Amino acid sequence: MMKVELLHYMDLKICSHAIRTCWQSFEKGDEGGEKDRELILRVGNKLKHASTLEHLHYSFYIQGISRACLQELARHRIASLSVKSTRYTLKELKEEESFLPFSPDNLQRAERFLVFTENQAVNEASIYALENLRKLLVTNIGNDLAKFAMPESYKTELTWSINARSLQNFFALRTSSSALWEIRNLAHSIFESLPEDHQFIFNDFIAHE
């Protein structure tokens, strides 16, 4: 199951201070309150001076996404990713028993390692690939080589840090109905994890179709 945890975020007053630096209007600020939020919305969003939003940073712990989703996420290059290493963690799969034949118990165990889709044929193919990967590891083929047989549905996790301007772009692209369903779900989960008093920065970039 996908999980998103907000680890850290910058105070809104950092962004409003950056904006007020340009006009030296610090005395008009209210420490990230209503006046500062209105300023951020007007200057950063409506007037398109989005570079001021780069002073706001967010860090998330994302669990339970597929490597296919990770590949999509990595296309957002103005961000930092620290990803669970296959070199050091594939031993968790090596210690498992066979995932075949298909049974409720084996499917439940496989779901610990795989992101399933709504297509049963695709899910079964992923389980066969998972089993083949497990067999390679059991024969003591090194992780660096065995991982070339890893299915795209294999689960991973990461710490992801991004600034508000780049996060706006992420939401605009990844909440679209044309986006990969998994990263679309991830985008909505990330938005929901944001502090409520920060969500106004991103509301206009969330697709609701």
PDB file of all heavy atoms in Angstrom, residues 165-194:
ATOM      1  N   ARG A 165       7.895  25.668  -6.231  1.00  0.00           N
ATOM      2  CA  ARG A 165       7.708  25.937  -7.658  1.00  0.00           C
ATOM      3  C   ARG A 165       7.718  24.630  -8.456  1.00  0.00           C
ATOM      4  O   ARG A 165       6.861  24.413  -9.322  1.00  0.00           O
ATOM      5  CB  ARG A 165       8.812  26.865  -8.162  1.00  0.00           C
ATOM      6  CG  ARG A 165       8.660  27.272  -9.617  1.00  0.00           C
ATOM      7  CD  ARG A 165       9.823  28.137 -10.071  1.00  0.00           C
ATOM      8  NE  ARG A 165       9.584  28.754 -11.358  1.00  0.00           N
ATOM      9  CZ  ARG A 165      10.446  29.584 -11.946  1.00  0.00           C
ATOM     10  NH1 ARG A 165      11.598  29.887 -11.352  1.00  0.00           N
ATOM     11  NH2 ARG A 165      10.169  30.109 -13.131  1.00  0.00           N
ATOM     12  N   SER A 166       8.666  23.766  -8.170  1.00  0.00           N
ATOM     13  CA  SER A 166       8.739  22.478  -8.860  1.00  0.00           C
ATOM     14  C   SER A 166       7.568  21.586  -8.482  1.00  0.00           C
ATOM     15  O   SER A 166       7.089  20.801  -9.303  1.00  0.00           O
ATOM     16  CB  SER A 166      10.062  21.784  -8.534  1.00  0.00           C
ATOM     17  OG  SER A 166      11.155  22.505  -9.051  1.00  0.00           O
ATOM     18  N   LEU A 167       7.102  21.714  -7.250  1.00  0.00           N
ATOM     19  CA  LEU A 167       5.967  20.915  -6.821  1.00  0.00           C
ATOM     20  C   LEU A 167       4.694  21.345  -7.548  1.00  0.00           C
ATOM     21  O   LEU A 167       3.847  20.507  -7.877  1.00  0.00           O
ATOM     22  CB  LEU A 167       5.792  21.032  -5.306  1.00  0.00           C
ATOM     23  CG  LEU A 167       4.804  20.068  -4.649  1.00  0.00           C
ATOM     24  CD1 LEU A 167       5.129  18.606  -4.982  1.00  0.00           C
ATOM     25  CD2 LEU A 167       4.783  20.263  -3.138  1.00  0.00           C
ATOM     26  N   GLN A 168       4.553  22.624  -7.826  1.00  0.00           N
ATOM     27  CA  GLN A 168       3.425  23.079  -8.647  1.00  0.00           C
ATOM     28  C   GLN A 168       3.441  22.393 -10.009  1.00  0.00           C
ATOM     29  O   GLN A 168       2.402  21.930 -10.506  1.00  0.00           O
ATOM     30  CB  GLN A 168       3.476  24.598  -8.828  1.00  0.00           C
ATOM     31  CG  GLN A 168       3.066  25.401  -7.616  1.00  0.00           C
ATOM     32  CD  GLN A 168       3.118  26.895  -7.887  1.00  0.00           C
ATOM     33  OE1 GLN A 168       3.823  27.349  -8.799  1.00  0.00           O
ATOM     34  NE2 GLN A 168       2.392  27.673  -7.093  1.00  0.00           N
ATOM     35  N   ASN A 169       4.609  22.359 -10.634  1.00  0.00           N
ATOM     36  CA  ASN A 169       4.747  21.710 -11.938  1.00  0.00           C
ATOM     37  C   ASN A 169       4.425  20.224 -11.851  1.00  0.00           C
ATOM     38  O   ASN A 169       3.747  19.664 -12.725  1.00  0.00           O
ATOM     39  CB  ASN A 169       6.166  21.919 -12.461  1.00  0.00           C
ATOM     40  CG  ASN A 169       6.429  21.191 -13.760  1.00  0.00           C
ATOM     41  OD1 ASN A 169       7.081  20.137 -13.755  1.00  0.00           O
ATOM     42  ND2 ASN A 169       5.944  21.716 -14.867  1.00  0.00           N
ATOM     43  N   PHE A 170       4.887  19.586 -10.775  1.00  0.00           N
ATOM     44  CA  PHE A 170       4.604  18.168 -10.556  1.00  0.00           C
ATOM     45  C   PHE A 170       3.102  17.931 -10.476  1.00  0.00           C
ATOM     46  O   PHE A 170       2.567  17.028 -11.131  1.00  0.00           O
ATOM     47  CB  PHE A 170       5.292  17.703  -9.273  1.00  0.00           C
ATOM     48  CG  PHE A 170       4.907  16.315  -8.841  1.00  0.00           C
ATOM     49  CD1 PHE A 170       5.450  15.202  -9.456  1.00  0.00           C
ATOM     50  CD2 PHE A 170       3.997  16.133  -7.806  1.00  0.00           C
ATOM     51  CE1 PHE A 170       5.090  13.916  -9.057  1.00  0.00           C
ATOM     52  CE2 PHE A 170       3.637  14.858  -7.405  1.00  0.00           C
ATOM     53  CZ  PHE A 170       4.189  13.753  -8.031  1.00  0.00           C
ATOM     54  N   PHE A 171       2.404  18.735  -9.699  1.00  0.00           N
ATOM     55  CA  PHE A 171       0.957  18.570  -9.563  1.00  0.00           C
ATOM     56  C   PHE A 171       0.240  18.814 -10.890  1.00  0.00           C
ATOM     57  O   PHE A 171      -0.704  18.096 -11.245  1.00  0.00           O
ATOM     58  CB  PHE A 171       0.411  19.513  -8.497  1.00  0.00           C
ATOM     59  CG  PHE A 171       0.727  19.117  -7.081  1.00  0.00           C
ATOM     60  CD1 PHE A 171       1.078  20.078  -6.143  1.00  0.00           C
ATOM     61  CD2 PHE A 171       0.680  17.795  -6.692  1.00  0.00           C
ATOM     62  CE1 PHE A 171       1.363  19.724  -4.830  1.00  0.00           C
ATOM     63  CE2 PHE A 171       0.974  17.419  -5.382  1.00  0.00           C
ATOM     64  CZ  PHE A 171       1.317  18.385  -4.456  1.00  0.00           C
ATOM     65  N   ALA A 172       0.658  19.836 -11.610  1.00  0.00           N
ATOM     66  CA  ALA A 172       0.005  20.158 -12.880  1.00  0.00           C
ATOM     67  C   ALA A 172       0.105  18.995 -13.865  1.00  0.00           C
ATOM     68  O   ALA A 172      -0.856  18.698 -14.592  1.00  0.00           O
ATOM     69  CB  ALA A 172       0.621  21.416 -13.490  1.00  0.00           C
ATOM     70  N   LEU A 173       1.255  18.329 -13.897  1.00  0.00           N
ATOM     71  CA  LEU A 173       1.459  17.220 -14.832  1.00  0.00           C
ATOM     72  C   LEU A 173       0.889  15.906 -14.322  1.00  0.00           C
ATOM     73  O   LEU A 173       0.306  15.127 -15.079  1.00  0.00           O
ATOM     74  CB  LEU A 173       2.958  17.055 -15.114  1.00  0.00           C
ATOM     75  CG  LEU A 173       3.644  18.197 -15.854  1.00  0.00           C
ATOM     76  CD1 LEU A 173       5.140  17.924 -15.956  1.00  0.00           C
ATOM     77  CD2 LEU A 173       3.044  18.390 -17.237  1.00  0.00           C
ATOM     78  N   ARG A 174       1.048  15.648 -13.043  1.00  0.00           N
ATOM     79  CA  ARG A 174       0.793  14.306 -12.533  1.00  0.00           C
ATOM     80  C   ARG A 174      -0.584  14.094 -11.924  1.00  0.00           C
ATOM     81  O   ARG A 174      -0.924  12.963 -11.557  1.00  0.00           O
ATOM     82  CB  ARG A 174       1.868  13.929 -11.508  1.00  0.00           C
ATOM     83  CG  ARG A 174       3.276  13.976 -12.082  1.00  0.00           C
ATOM     84  CD  ARG A 174       3.415  13.133 -13.331  1.00  0.00           C
ATOM     85  NE  ARG A 174       4.805  13.107 -13.806  1.00  0.00           N
ATOM     86  CZ  ARG A 174       5.232  12.391 -14.836  1.00  0.00           C
ATOM     87  NH1 ARG A 174       4.373  11.661 -15.527  1.00  0.00           N
ATOM     88  NH2 ARG A 174       6.497  12.429 -15.202  1.00  0.00           N
ATOM     89  N   THR A 175      -1.384  15.146 -11.792  1.00  0.00           N
ATOM     90  CA  THR A 175      -2.787  14.931 -11.409  1.00  0.00           C
ATOM     91  C   THR A 175      -3.681  14.896 -12.642  1.00  0.00           C
ATOM     92  O   THR A 175      -4.885  14.673 -12.525  1.00  0.00           O
ATOM     93  CB  THR A 175      -3.294  16.028 -10.444  1.00  0.00           C
ATOM     94  OG1 THR A 175      -3.212  17.311 -11.084  1.00  0.00           O
ATOM     95  CG2 THR A 175      -2.485  16.041  -9.153  1.00  0.00           C
ATOM     96  N   SER A 176      -3.101  15.090 -13.800  1.00  0.00           N
ATOM     97  CA  SER A 176      -3.855  15.016 -15.052  1.00  0.00           C
ATOM     98  C   SER A 176      -4.366  13.603 -15.291  1.00  0.00           C
ATOM     99  O   SER A 176      -3.718  12.610 -14.916  1.00  0.00           O
ATOM    100  CB  SER A 176      -2.959  15.441 -16.220  1.00  0.00           C
ATOM    101  OG  SER A 176      -3.545  15.102 -17.464  1.00  0.00           O
ATOM    102  N   SER A 177      -5.521  13.487 -15.934  1.00  0.00           N
ATOM    103  CA  SER A 177      -6.089  12.174 -16.235  1.00  0.00           C
ATOM    104  C   SER A 177      -5.222  11.391 -17.222  1.00  0.00           C
ATOM    105  O   SER A 177      -5.361  10.177 -17.341  1.00  0.00           O
ATOM    106  CB  SER A 177      -7.501  12.324 -16.806  1.00  0.00           C
ATOM    107  OG  SER A 177      -7.474  13.104 -17.989  1.00  0.00           O
ATOM    108  N   SER A 178      -4.310  12.077 -17.908  1.00  0.00           N
ATOM    109  CA  SER A 178      -3.426  11.395 -18.854  1.00  0.00           C
ATOM    110  C   SER A 178      -2.170  10.846 -18.187  1.00  0.00           C
ATOM    111  O   SER A 178      -1.379  10.146 -18.828  1.00  0.00           O
ATOM    112  CB  SER A 178      -3.021  12.351 -19.982  1.00  0.00           C
ATOM    113  OG  SER A 178      -2.305  13.460 -19.477  1.00  0.00           O
ATOM    114  N   ALA A 179      -1.972  11.150 -16.915  1.00  0.00           N
ATOM    115  CA  ALA A 179      -0.800  10.656 -16.195  1.00  0.00           C
ATOM    116  C   ALA A 179      -0.976   9.191 -15.818  1.00  0.00           C
ATOM    117  O   ALA A 179      -2.102   8.683 -15.721  1.00  0.00           O
ATOM    118  CB  ALA A 179      -0.559  11.491 -14.938  1.00  0.00           C
ATOM    119  N   LEU A 180       0.138   8.510 -15.602  1.00  0.00           N
ATOM    120  CA  LEU A 180       0.109   7.132 -15.109  1.00  0.00           C
ATOM    121  C   LEU A 180      -0.730   7.074 -13.829  1.00  0.00           C
ATOM    122  O   LEU A 180      -0.543   7.886 -12.924  1.00  0.00           O
ATOM    123  CB  LEU A 180       1.533   6.653 -14.825  1.00  0.00           C
ATOM    124  CG  LEU A 180       1.700   5.258 -14.215  1.00  0.00           C
ATOM    125  CD1 LEU A 180       1.408   4.185 -15.262  1.00  0.00           C
ATOM    126  CD2 LEU A 180       3.114   5.080 -13.652  1.00  0.00           C
ATOM    127  N   TRP A 181      -1.652   6.115 -13.757  1.00  0.00           N
ATOM    128  CA  TRP A 181      -2.594   6.071 -12.636  1.00  0.00           C
ATOM    129  C   TRP A 181      -1.882   6.051 -11.282  1.00  0.00           C
ATOM    130  O   TRP A 181      -2.341   6.673 -10.323  1.00  0.00           O
ATOM    131  CB  TRP A 181      -3.510   4.845 -12.751  1.00  0.00           C
ATOM    132  CG  TRP A 181      -2.775   3.533 -12.739  1.00  0.00           C
ATOM    133  CD1 TRP A 181      -2.275   2.851 -13.804  1.00  0.00           C
ATOM    134  CD2 TRP A 181      -2.412   2.764 -11.577  1.00  0.00           C
ATOM    135  NE1 TRP A 181      -1.639   1.701 -13.392  1.00  0.00           N
ATOM    136  CE2 TRP A 181      -1.712   1.616 -12.032  1.00  0.00           C
ATOM    137  CE3 TRP A 181      -2.631   2.924 -10.210  1.00  0.00           C
ATOM    138  CZ2 TRP A 181      -1.214   0.642 -11.173  1.00  0.00           C
ATOM    139  CZ3 TRP A 181      -2.131   1.953  -9.333  1.00  0.00           C
ATOM    140  CH2 TRP A 181      -1.440   0.822  -9.830  1.00  0.00           C
ATOM    141  N   GLU A 182      -0.747   5.384 -11.211  1.00  0.00           N
ATOM    142  CA  GLU A 182      -0.070   5.263  -9.918  1.00  0.00           C
ATOM    143  C   GLU A 182       0.537   6.592  -9.479  1.00  0.00           C
ATOM    144  O   GLU A 182       0.416   6.982  -8.311  1.00  0.00           O
ATOM    145  CB  GLU A 182       1.006   4.186  -9.986  1.00  0.00           C
ATOM    146  CG  GLU A 182       1.611   3.867  -8.615  1.00  0.00           C
ATOM    147  CD  GLU A 182       2.730   2.857  -8.679  1.00  0.00           C
ATOM    148  OE1 GLU A 182       3.108   2.422  -9.798  1.00  0.00           O
ATOM    149  OE2 GLU A 182       3.249   2.488  -7.605  1.00  0.00           O
ATOM    150  N   ILE A 183       1.174   7.300 -10.401  1.00  0.00           N
ATOM    151  CA  ILE A 183       1.766   8.584 -10.012  1.00  0.00           C
ATOM    152  C   ILE A 183       0.671   9.628  -9.802  1.00  0.00           C
ATOM    153  O   ILE A 183       0.844  10.578  -9.032  1.00  0.00           O
ATOM    154  CB  ILE A 183       2.827   9.048 -11.033  1.00  0.00           C
ATOM    155  CG1 ILE A 183       3.770  10.057 -10.359  1.00  0.00           C
ATOM    156  CG2 ILE A 183       2.191   9.624 -12.293  1.00  0.00           C
ATOM    157  CD1 ILE A 183       5.012  10.376 -11.168  1.00  0.00           C
ATOM    158  N   ARG A 184      -0.474   9.461 -10.464  1.00  0.00           N
ATOM    159  CA  ARG A 184      -1.609  10.353 -10.202  1.00  0.00           C
ATOM    160  C   ARG A 184      -2.087  10.162  -8.759  1.00  0.00           C
ATOM    161  O   ARG A 184      -2.345  11.138  -8.047  1.00  0.00           O
ATOM    162  CB  ARG A 184      -2.738  10.075 -11.189  1.00  0.00           C
ATOM    163  CG  ARG A 184      -3.869  11.083 -11.103  1.00  0.00           C
ATOM    164  CD  ARG A 184      -4.805  10.991 -12.302  1.00  0.00           C
ATOM    165  NE  ARG A 184      -5.532   9.725 -12.365  1.00  0.00           N
ATOM    166  CZ  ARG A 184      -5.349   8.785 -13.278  1.00  0.00           C
ATOM    167  NH1 ARG A 184      -4.444   8.945 -14.227  1.00  0.00           N
ATOM    168  NH2 ARG A 184      -6.054   7.667 -13.262  1.00  0.00           N
ATOM    169  N   ASN A 185      -2.187   8.911  -8.325  1.00  0.00           N
ATOM    170  CA  ASN A 185      -2.558   8.647  -6.927  1.00  0.00           C
ATOM    171  C   ASN A 185      -1.512   9.198  -5.972  1.00  0.00           C
ATOM    172  O   ASN A 185      -1.843   9.736  -4.903  1.00  0.00           O
ATOM    173  CB  ASN A 185      -2.719   7.144  -6.709  1.00  0.00           C
ATOM    174  CG  ASN A 185      -3.919   6.568  -7.438  1.00  0.00           C
ATOM    175  OD1 ASN A 185      -4.825   7.304  -7.841  1.00  0.00           O
ATOM    176  ND2 ASN A 185      -3.940   5.260  -7.629  1.00  0.00           N
ATOM    177  N   LEU A 186      -0.239   9.053  -6.356  1.00  0.00           N
ATOM    178  CA  LEU A 186       0.842   9.583  -5.525  1.00  0.00           C
ATOM    179  C   LEU A 186       0.735  11.095  -5.406  1.00  0.00           C
ATOM    180  O   LEU A 186       0.886  11.654  -4.311  1.00  0.00           O
ATOM    181  CB  LEU A 186       2.195   9.187  -6.115  1.00  0.00           C
ATOM    182  CG  LEU A 186       3.429   9.783  -5.433  1.00  0.00           C
ATOM    183  CD1 LEU A 186       3.510   9.349  -3.975  1.00  0.00           C
ATOM    184  CD2 LEU A 186       4.701   9.386  -6.184  1.00  0.00           C
ATOM    185  N   ALA A 187       0.477  11.775  -6.511  1.00  0.00           N
ATOM    186  CA  ALA A 187       0.382  13.234  -6.496  1.00  0.00           C
ATOM    187  C   ALA A 187      -0.720  13.709  -5.550  1.00  0.00           C
ATOM    188  O   ALA A 187      -0.525  14.649  -4.773  1.00  0.00           O
ATOM    189  CB  ALA A 187       0.134  13.757  -7.911  1.00  0.00           C
ATOM    190  N   HIS A 188      -1.868  13.045  -5.600  1.00  0.00           N
ATOM    191  CA  HIS A 188      -2.966  13.435  -4.704  1.00  0.00           C
ATOM    192  C   HIS A 188      -2.607  13.137  -3.247  1.00  0.00           C
ATOM    193  O   HIS A 188      -2.953  13.926  -2.346  1.00  0.00           O
ATOM    194  CB  HIS A 188      -4.250  12.716  -5.108  1.00  0.00           C
ATOM    195  CG  HIS A 188      -4.904  13.286  -6.329  1.00  0.00           C
ATOM    196  ND1 HIS A 188      -5.528  14.520  -6.332  1.00  0.00           N
ATOM    197  CD2 HIS A 188      -5.022  12.811  -7.597  1.00  0.00           C
ATOM    198  CE1 HIS A 188      -6.012  14.779  -7.538  1.00  0.00           C
ATOM    199  NE2 HIS A 188      -5.711  13.762  -8.325  1.00  0.00           N
ATOM    200  N   SER A 189      -1.900  12.048  -3.004  1.00  0.00           N
ATOM    201  CA  SER A 189      -1.490  11.723  -1.636  1.00  0.00           C
ATOM    202  C   SER A 189      -0.486  12.741  -1.109  1.00  0.00           C
ATOM    203  O   SER A 189      -0.530  13.122   0.067  1.00  0.00           O
ATOM    204  CB  SER A 189      -0.879  10.315  -1.587  1.00  0.00           C
ATOM    205  OG  SER A 189      -1.835   9.334  -1.885  1.00  0.00           O
ATOM    206  N   ILE A 190       0.415  13.194  -1.977  1.00  0.00           N
ATOM    207  CA  ILE A 190       1.380  14.218  -1.579  1.00  0.00           C
ATOM    208  C   ILE A 190       0.659  15.516  -1.244  1.00  0.00           C
ATOM    209  O   ILE A 190       0.948  16.162  -0.223  1.00  0.00           O
ATOM    210  CB  ILE A 190       2.430  14.423  -2.685  1.00  0.00           C
ATOM    211  CG1 ILE A 190       3.369  13.211  -2.752  1.00  0.00           C
ATOM    212  CG2 ILE A 190       3.233  15.700  -2.451  1.00  0.00           C
ATOM    213  CD1 ILE A 190       4.303  13.218  -3.947  1.00  0.00           C
ATOM    214  N   PHE A 191      -0.290  15.907  -2.087  1.00  0.00           N
ATOM    215  CA  PHE A 191      -1.047  17.135  -1.817  1.00  0.00           C
ATOM    216  C   PHE A 191      -1.776  17.042  -0.480  1.00  0.00           C
ATOM    217  O   PHE A 191      -1.751  17.988   0.319  1.00  0.00           O
ATOM    218  CB  PHE A 191      -2.045  17.402  -2.943  1.00  0.00           C
ATOM    219  CG  PHE A 191      -2.911  18.603  -2.704  1.00  0.00           C
ATOM    220  CD1 PHE A 191      -2.405  19.882  -2.903  1.00  0.00           C
ATOM    221  CD2 PHE A 191      -4.220  18.464  -2.276  1.00  0.00           C
ATOM    222  CE1 PHE A 191      -3.199  21.007  -2.673  1.00  0.00           C
ATOM    223  CE2 PHE A 191      -5.017  19.576  -2.046  1.00  0.00           C
ATOM    224  CZ  PHE A 191      -4.509  20.847  -2.249  1.00  0.00           C
ATOM    225  N   GLU A 192      -2.402  15.907  -0.232  1.00  0.00           N
ATOM    226  CA  GLU A 192      -3.157  15.736   1.012  1.00  0.00           C
ATOM    227  C   GLU A 192      -2.261  15.739   2.240  1.00  0.00           C
ATOM    228  O   GLU A 192      -2.716  16.059   3.349  1.00  0.00           O
ATOM    229  CB  GLU A 192      -3.952  14.434   0.943  1.00  0.00           C
ATOM    230  CG  GLU A 192      -5.109  14.487  -0.055  1.00  0.00           C
ATOM    231  CD  GLU A 192      -5.701  13.123  -0.344  1.00  0.00           C
ATOM    232  OE1 GLU A 192      -5.280  12.139   0.312  1.00  0.00           O
ATOM    233  OE2 GLU A 192      -6.563  13.024  -1.233  1.00  0.00           O
ATOM    234  N   SER A 193      -0.980  15.396   2.070  1.00  0.00           N
ATOM    235  CA  SER A 193      -0.051  15.367   3.202  1.00  0.00           C
ATOM    236  C   SER A 193       0.488  16.755   3.547  1.00  0.00           C
ATOM    237  O   SER A 193       1.086  16.944   4.610  1.00  0.00           O
ATOM    238  CB  SER A 193       1.123  14.429   2.909  1.00  0.00           C
ATOM    239  OG  SER A 193       2.045  15.007   2.002  1.00  0.00           O
ATOM    240  N   LEU A 194       0.292  17.726   2.661  1.00  0.00           N
ATOM    241  CA  LEU A 194       0.794  19.076   2.906  1.00  0.00           C
ATOM    242  C   LEU A 194       0.021  19.748   4.044  1.00  0.00           C
ATOM    243  O   LEU A 194      -1.168  19.470   4.241  1.00  0.00           O
ATOM    244  CB  LEU A 194       0.649  19.923   1.638  1.00  0.00           C
ATOM    245  CG  LEU A 194       1.547  19.561   0.459  1.00  0.00           C
ATOM    246  CD1 LEU A 194       1.104  20.337  -0.778  1.00  0.00           C
ATOM    247  CD2 LEU A 194       3.011  19.849   0.775  1.00  0.00           C
TER     248      LEU A 194
END
